Amino acid sequence: KIFSAYPGSRFSDIELCEEEGIPTEEFLESCYAIVPVLDKLGPTVFAPVKMDFVGNIKKINQKFITNKEEFDTLQKIVLHEVNAGVAQVRNSATEALLWLKRGLKFLKGFLTEVKNGEKNIQTAL
């Protein structure tokens, strides 16, 4: 495991840094806390989503651990990669963040469909 996700690892618990943005470590912990949910939803159906999700978390974490003080917010990671000219490089933390955001949006949409009463997984997907 990347993080020792604790039960309180929720996006709503993250305190935004006024000027600097989203704290990297807390964001990654919240993302990682979602992984067991994907297993519960359907270990076969959601296996590709889970692999993608975990892979993107790891890519961002790998960047974060190279300098936890410098990369304490997601915005600082992105700005660093933009300034270094690597933000659009395959497997960059910036690309991983983009795909992680898309994965979260997809999951939110799916869960909203289920919450609204959709019983058919394929339809909800």
Side-chain angles (χ1 to χ4, degrees), residues 74-122:
L74 296 174
Q75 286 79 349
K76 288 180 182 177
I77 290 174
V78 171
L79 286 173
H80 173 81
E81 289 191 348
V82 166
N83 291 334
V86 297
Q88 295 182 341
V89 171
R90 188 160 163 38
N91 293 323
S92 69
T94 302
E95 180 192 59
L97 182 59
L98 172 68
W99 284 104
L100 189 55
K101 179 183 178 258
R102 289 174 178 167
L104 288 167
K105 224 173 159 179
F106 166 78
L107 188 57
K108 179 186 177 196
F110 170 76
L111 292 173
T112 300
E113 289 294 318
V114 171
K115 179 184 167 208
N116 291 339
E118 182 55 60
K119 302 272 190 254
N120 185 312
I121 288 182
Q122 297 298 352

Side-chain angles (χ1 to χ4, degrees), residues 2-115:
I2 301 170
F3 298 100
S4 56
Y6 56 93
S9 302
R10 297 189 320 215
F11 292 106
S12 59
D13 293 338
I14 296 174
E15 291 185 32
L16 298 179
C17 307
E18 191 70 33
E19 305 262 331
E20 299 172 5
I22 301 166
T24 304
E25 190 166 16
E26 289 87 346
F27 176 79
L28 293 175
E29 285 175 355
S30 296
C31 288
Y32 197 70
I34 291 172
V35 174
V37 174
L38 297 173
D39 287 330
K40 296 283 186 207
L41 290 172
T44 306
V45 175
F46 281 89
V49 175
K50 178 183 172 184
M51 280 180 39
D52 190 56
F53 208 75
V54 170
N56 288 320
I57 292 169
K58 285 181 179 180
K59 287 174 194 169
I60 298 165
N61 188 56
Q62 285 170 345
K63 184 68 171 186
F64 172 62
I65 62 174
T66 63
N67 190 335
K68 290 183 178 184
E69 287 182 20
E70 182 182 354
F71 301 133
D72 63 334
T73 66
L74 296 174
Q75 286 79 349
K76 288 180 182 177
I77 290 174
V78 171
L79 286 173
H80 173 81
E81 289 191 348
V82 166
N83 291 334
V86 297
Q88 295 182 341
V89 171
R90 188 160 163 38
N91 293 323
S92 69
T94 302
E95 180 192 59
L97 182 59
L98 172 68
W99 284 104
L100 189 55
K101 179 183 178 258
R102 289 174 178 167
L104 288 167
K105 224 173 159 179
F106 166 78
L107 188 57
K108 179 186 177 196
F110 170 76
L111 292 173
T112 300
E113 289 294 318
V114 171
K115 179 184 167 208

